[in-house]
Amino acid sequence: MRDRERERERIAEVIAQEVRGVEPGEVPERLCAAAVRLLPVSGASVSLRGDGMPLPLSASSERAAHLMEVQATLGDGPCLRAAETGAPVFARDLTAGRDASRWPVFAQQAAAAGVRAVYALPLGDRSVCVGTLDLYRDVPGDLAADEVRTARVVADVLTVALMALPRGEEAGRRGDGLWLSPLATDHDEVYQAVGMVMAQRGVASDEALALLRAHAFVAGRTVLDVAHEVVTRQIRFDSE
């Protein structure tokens, strides 16, 4: 028990070193960097559980951000499953076997990006899950038992840290409320686009989001790209 307490303290100190003195808007990115420092993974991303799709907060690299957007676009993947169940979801090999068939499209795109394994941990639990920590690795395989324990501690500390981030008047030196990263604030357009598609097609929000996802999938783009074009009136859905 004492060893585990010392390990938790060590993890907390690494995270503290990453976030010490930074503005609130920088915290999610620094937390991802801390996860990569502490674990044998090549990338990490953090997202909040949103209405119909995850809300990306930050990622340690462009590749991790891309894979987070792929899951949001598809509405499928380890991240979404972990958020739905409030339990860890480990995909040890996305190129073969059960994990490749559970999320075939995501697995293919992840493998094409050079990622072979994904470990998604809930931020919270089955009763209250506020989001996920997603870890990406370039080689297939399981995390060792001690690495799983470390990953769980990282997720716990991340949950506390994210919930402690200021909102509203407390956020940032200008009090502008922008504690969320650009990845998250960009997704405002998705919800605007959902509302516009609802009006154009006379459908409910879940169907409007499904239409955006389908359009993005067929075009080989992200739902964020398509949402931007809807909001800027480059495409409409009432003529389809």
Side-chain angles (χ1 to χ4, degrees):
M1 182 64 69
R2 185 171 299 173
D3 288 343
R4 290 191 180 183
E5 289 177 358
R6 281 198 292 263
E7 179 64 7
R8 190 180 185 91
E9 290 173 0
R10 184 186 70 85
I11 293 168
E13 178 56 28
V14 170
I15 292 176
Q17 289 175 4
E18 286 287 345
V19 302
R20 190 172 290 128
V22 305
E23 289 293 311
E26 300 176 63
V27 169
E29 182 180 357
R30 295 296 187 92
L31 295 177
C32 288
V36 174
R37 281 181 59 188
L38 287 162
L39 293 159
V41 297
S42 56
S45 62
V46 178
S47 61
L48 292 179
R49 186 177 184 181
D51 184 12
M53 65 186 300
L55 177 64
L57 282 184
S58 196
S60 63
S61 65
E62 290 186 5
R63 182 173 66 170
H66 169 69
L67 292 177
M68 187 165 48
E69 287 291 352
V70 167
Q71 293 184 81
T73 296
L74 297 174
D76 196 20
C79 162
L80 279 80
R81 184 60 180 163
E84 289 169 0
T85 62
V89 176
F90 294 165
R92 67 179 306 277
D93 190 352
L94 292 170
T95 63
R98 178 171 177 266
D99 292 328
S101 61
R102 289 174 76 184
W103 311 284
V105 179
F106 170 72
Q108 187 275 328
Q109 295 197 33
V115 169
R116 299 294 184 268
V118 177
Y119 316 101
L121 293 98
L123 302 179
D125 54 32
R126 287 178 174 85
S127 59
V128 180
C129 177
V130 299
T132 61
L133 165 66
D134 299 313
L135 306 169
Y136 307 95
R137 195 160 72 170
D138 298 347
V139 295
D142 293 312
L143 292 175
D146 62 327
E147 293 165 349
V148 171
R149 286 195 296 271
T150 297
R152 288 178 182 271
V153 173
V154 171
D156 289 345
V157 176
L158 286 173
T159 303
V160 173
L162 289 174
M163 293 304 96
L165 283 172
R167 274 81 165 169
E169 292 299 320
E170 304 172 50
R173 291 174 179 168
R174 297 182 306 277
D176 54 13
L178 297 181
W179 67 270
L180 294 175
S181 70
L183 280 175
T185 53
D186 284 349
H187 268 248
D188 286 347
E189 285 193 325
V190 175
Y191 297 104
Q192 294 175 38
V194 165
M196 293 174 70
V197 174
M198 289 172 65
Q200 291 168 11
R201 294 294 290 265
V203 297
S205 60
D206 56 348
E207 186 174 346
L209 179 56
L211 287 168
L212 287 173
R213 280 176 163 152
H215 189 99
F217 178 74
V218 170
R221 306 174 70 197
T222 69
V223 71
L224 187 58
D225 293 333
V226 174
H228 177 72
E229 293 189 350
V230 171
V231 170
T232 56
R233 295 176 171 77
Q234 296 178 56
I235 59 174
R236 293 181 61 89
F237 278 74
D238 53 6
S239 61
E240 295 186 356

